[in-house]
Amino acid sequence: LLVSLYGRGGVPPVPGGLLDAAAAAEVRDNGHLGDFAGTTIRGAFGLALRGLCCHTRGARCDDCALRHNCAYGVIFEGVPPPGRKVMRKYPRVPQPFLLIVPPGVRLPLQSGNRFGFGVRLFGPALSMYPYVVQAVVHMLERGLGRERAQLDLLEVSDGSKVVFRAGARTVKPVSRCWLAVPRLPEAPVRAVEVSFETPLRMQLSGRMVTQPALGAILRAAVRRVRLLVSLYGRGGVPPVPGGLLDAAAAAEVLHVELSRHGVKRFSGRQGRSMVMDGIVGRIRYRWPEGVPGPQGWLEAASVLHIGKGATFGFGRISYRVEEA
């Protein structure tokens, strides 16, 4: 298990910063991870974290007096933080974590091979990272997938030093880093290419978006940033530069390479199987001439993911701009 940190300059809106726990392990048994690695890993991680932290074994975190101090409740269940100013009518809020998983589908696990994934933690979840490390240890020992393929943990590093090794009894402190969205306009660009590394699940009027406009991508990024900052951040909600969303809405599509993926998973909470549709590939857009570019908000989207199912690893994007 390797923990790597990615620093983002500027004013930090997320208290406690940002932590990427990127896992690297060696496969002991053959197996596979189903249609998409994120659905298997998220379920196994949640079970391991609950088994590690929950002492009441109650059916609902809402009935537990420890819900605001429990790593499982805070990280995995989306227990609302005290004094929230948004989503007050909702019993659950977006969790302060997401998965970073391989982009392929039906990934095999073959004995002797290396397998990697990550857990990105935000705000209050960062101080609970030792529980995440220990939950991953238990998860790998129990095994992943239908075959319960076991993996051997290697080590945990924060990118500069090892903070945990297999068999160690302690988890050492990690460095912290920050995510910030620039408040000043970016340099103008000529074109923008957005790649959907893992299935993007966006809906408009109740229907899945199969070819998202750049305006829809930027609006999703703004919503995601503002919501997480409002729930877990500090320093106020970052403003959107004037005209940015209008410019994104006017961006023309130049080239499209997209395909649609339906990911099957079983929901233990709902007790049924379901299909989670998404798109992968890339789209290239022409950006309006002479208008400041969207680099900062696309960078935030690449860190926080967009669309539905970020905790499964869905909605990871990358981007490239062509300078004017």
Side-chain angles (χ1 to χ4, degrees), residues 89-261:
K89 296 183 179 180
Y90 293 85
R92 292 287 181 269
V93 297
Q95 300 98 313
F97 89 97
L98 57 81
L99 289 182
I100 307 170
V101 296
V105 295
R106 299 200 65 80
L107 292 171
L109 293 175
Q110 297 181 343
S111 179
N113 287 355
R114 297 290 179 88
F115 174 75
F117 67 95
V119 182
R120 181 166 289 161
L121 305 174
F122 309 110
L126 181 54
S127 63
M128 300 176 178
Y129 81 92
Y131 290 94
V132 173
V133 174
Q134 195 60 42
V136 170
V137 172
H138 292 177
M139 177 183 73
L140 298 180
E141 290 176 349
R142 183 172 183 265
L144 295 176
R146 183 177 300 176
E147 298 89 352
R148 289 285 184 265
Q150 293 183 315
L151 295 88
D152 291 324
L153 175 69
L154 301 179
E155 64 181 25
V156 179
S157 167
D158 68 1
S160 61
K161 63 182 181 299
V162 173
V163 298
F164 183 79
R165 293 186 186 276
R169 295 185 178 182
T170 60
V171 181
K172 298 178 182 178
V174 296
S175 304
R176 299 185 177 212
C177 61
W178 309 98
L179 165 68
V181 180
R183 298 175 181 270
L184 298 177
E186 300 279 358
V189 299
R190 187 188 308 274
V192 177
E193 183 177 281
V194 179
S195 297
F196 310 108
E197 306 290 347
T198 59
L200 173 69
R201 304 184 66 246
M202 288 178 58
Q203 290 187 346
L204 183 62
S205 300
R207 302 183 64 180
M208 193 188 82
V209 177
T210 56
Q211 184 175 311
L214 186 55
I217 295 173
L218 263 292
R219 287 194 301 272
V222 170
R223 286 194 300 270
R224 177 81 166 151
V225 169
R226 287 182 165 177
L227 183 57
L228 289 180
V229 170
S230 296
L231 288 169
Y232 306 118
R234 69 183 182 190
V237 176
V240 181
L244 179 68
L245 295 181
D246 290 337
E252 301 176 13
V253 174
L254 297 176
H255 183 73
V256 178
E257 292 182 19
L258 295 176
S259 59
R260 185 168 176 171
H261 285 282

Side-chain angles (χ1 to χ4, degrees), residues 32 215 288:
H32 73 281

